[in-house]
Amino acid sequence: MPEKRLPLGFVFRSRAKEEKAAVADKAPLTDSKQPRDPQAPKGRPTPKRSVAQSQRRSVANTPTTRKEAAKRQRDDRRAQMERQRQALAGGDERYLPARDKGPVRRFARDFVDSRFNVAEWFLPMAVVILVLSMVRVASLQSMALLLWLVVIVLIVLDSIVTGFRLKKRLAERFPDDNRRGAVAYALMRSLQMRRLRLPKPQVKRGARP
C-alpha cells in the first residue's frame, strides 16, 4: 500500500500555529480594564497620580549642571543659616547650632542668665581701665592697675562659684545625660553682656531654672 505524503506547507503551518498557541498559554493574564499610562512600560501597572507627580517633581528639581547644583547648595546653606539666626533670636531648639542644642545646654544657659555675673561687666570695665591707663597721671594709672587686678580676682572667684554650683545642679538634673563641656559653655556665656548673648536669654534675673 503506498505511503501518503503530507504537503510541506501543511506541515510548516501546523507547527507554527502550535508554537504560537504554546507561547500564548505561557503569557501572564492581565486585566484589560486597568488603564495604562502611555509613558509606562508595557506589562506594568499604571502608577498612582500622587506617585507619578512626585516622580516628575523630583526629576524636575534635580540639577542638570554643576553650576545649578552649586547654586542650589548655596541657597540651601543660606536658608539654613537664616533658620539658625531666627532660632538664636527666638530660642527654637529645632534649628539651633549643634553646640547649643539639648536640654543640658539649655539648662546651662538658663542658669547663667538667671543670675548676676561679674564677668558680664568685663568688657565695659576693661574700656574704663584702658582709658584711665592712657591718662598721664600717676595716681590714675595706679588706680587703673589696682582696679584691673580687682576685676580679674572677682571674675575668677565668681566663675569658680558659678562652675561649682552649675556642675552640682547638672548632676542632679541630668544624671544620665552627657554633660561634657556644659560648664565651660556656661562660663563662656557669662563673659558676654546679657543683651548680646545668643541664643537670647529666655529667663529673667532671679528666676530659678
Side-chain angles (χ1 to χ4, degrees):
M1 183 176 182
E3 184 181 357
K4 294 183 179 181
R5 295 183 179 179
L6 296 176
L8 295 177
F10 177 78
V11 175
F12 289 118
R13 184 166 54 251
S14 300
R15 189 171 298 173
K17 290 181 179 180
E18 291 176 358
E19 291 177 355
K20 291 181 179 180
V23 173
D25 292 339
K26 294 180 180 179
L29 296 176
T30 57
D31 188 3
S32 60
K33 295 181 180 181
Q34 183 180 2
R36 186 178 65 83
D37 189 355
Q39 298 180 356
K42 294 183 179 180
R44 296 183 182 180
T46 303
K48 295 182 180 181
R49 178 176 298 179
S50 59
V51 177
Q53 289 178 353
S54 63
Q55 291 177 353
R56 288 196 295 268
R57 194 179 297 113
S58 62
V59 172
N61 293 334
T62 303
T64 57
T65 62
R66 183 178 300 178
K67 185 177 181 180
E68 293 179 359
K71 182 178 181 299
R72 178 158 302 177
Q73 290 179 356
R74 288 195 301 270
D75 294 340
D76 294 342
R77 194 181 304 111
R78 191 179 297 112
Q80 183 179 2
M81 292 178 62
E82 178 62 22
R83 287 194 298 266
Q84 288 186 356
R85 187 188 66 81
Q86 294 178 359
L88 290 172
D92 192 347
E93 288 280 345
R94 295 175 299 172
Y95 303 113
L96 286 177
R99 66 182 181 87
D100 299 314
K101 282 186 177 181
V104 175
R105 296 301 174 96
R106 181 179 180 87
F107 182 85
R109 293 196 302 270
D110 293 344
F111 184 86
V112 171
D113 297 337
S114 63
R115 63 192 305 274
F116 176 82
N117 303 280
V118 179
E120 65 182 284
W121 299 101
F122 172 75
L123 290 178
M125 296 182 72
V127 173
V128 173
I129 294 173
L130 180 63
V131 172
L132 290 177
S133 63
M134 294 177 63
V135 179
R136 295 184 177 180
V137 178
S139 58
L140 291 179
Q141 291 181 350
S142 300
M143 184 183 300
L145 180 59
L146 180 61
L147 185 60
W148 180 255
L149 293 176
V150 171
V151 169
I152 295 297
V153 171
L154 290 177
I155 290 176
V156 171
L157 292 177
D158 185 63
S159 299
I160 292 174
V161 174
T162 301
F164 178 77
R165 290 180 177 177
L166 177 59
K167 186 176 181 179
K168 184 178 179 181
R169 293 288 303 277
L170 288 175
E172 295 174 353
R173 183 70 67 88
F174 308 99
D176 300 328
D177 294 344
N178 183 14
R179 304 185 299 273
R180 184 177 181 182
V183 175
Y185 170 78
L187 294 179
M188 290 298 297
R189 184 177 177 85
S190 67
L191 289 172
Q192 302 172 352
M193 298 184 66
R194 181 181 173 87
R195 66 180 61 184
L196 300 179
R197 294 172 184 172
L198 292 175
K200 292 292 185 181
Q202 302 296 317
V203 296
K204 295 181 179 181
R205 290 188 189 272
R208 184 178 178 85

